[in-house]
Amino acid sequence: VSCILVKTMVVLAVFRTSKPGGNASLKWFGAGQQRGTVLVLTSFQAAICTAWLVSASPTPHKNTRYHNDKIVYECVEGSVARFGALLGYIGLLAFLSFLLAFLARNLPDNFNEAK
């Protein structure tokens, strides 16, 4: 998700620089800055995931409450707050990507990212 977010930011920056007075913002979106941003965003997600797995990792749980003749294995997610933080961070990245894509909806019609 962080790669999509950075790619959308670069596309917006490129088209904003084509407007008068917008050439200064492109210097912040070089190849090194793009890789660094993806690395930082991914490292932050990995840190949240590692903290969740180290503190209270998910464990299998035998559930015989509903079926006495069958044993159903369920996953107990451990720390619900840390799992929620992980999903919330991924959701935040997805929301920011959606927001930037919404801002990019007015790009020229002849823009083809595949080129």
Side-chain angles (χ1 to χ4, degrees):
V1 177
S2 61
C3 292
I4 295 171
L5 177 64
V6 171
K7 179 69 174 175
T8 308
M9 289 169 49
V10 169
V11 168
L12 276 176
V14 166
F15 278 101
R16 299 231 180 208
T17 58
S18 64
K19 294 180 181 178
N23 57 358
S25 65
L26 192 57
K27 68 180 179 180
W28 296 105
F29 292 105
Q33 290 84 0
Q34 292 174 30
R35 289 185 194 107
T37 304
V38 169
L39 182 67
V40 166
L41 292 174
T42 305
S43 298
F44 191 66
Q45 180 178 349
I48 294 172
C49 188
T50 302
W52 170 49
L53 291 175
V54 167
S55 68
S57 62
T59 57
H61 171 69
K62 294 180 185 179
N63 187 352
T64 58
R65 186 181 319 160
Y66 301 112
H67 301 285
N68 291 333
D69 57 338
K70 294 181 183 178
I71 298 175
V72 178
Y73 277 96
E74 295 178 345
C75 181
V76 178
E77 64 270 344
S79 175
V80 177
R82 300 219 180 188
F83 181 63
L86 180 64
L87 290 181
Y89 181 71
I90 295 170
L92 176 69
L93 290 179
F95 176 75
L96 289 175
S97 297
F98 176 75
L99 184 68
L100 289 177
F102 182 76
L103 293 174
R105 73 186 188 284
N106 294 327
L107 294 178
D109 291 336
N110 60 358
F111 172 66
N112 184 0
E113 196 173 43
K115 291 181 182 178

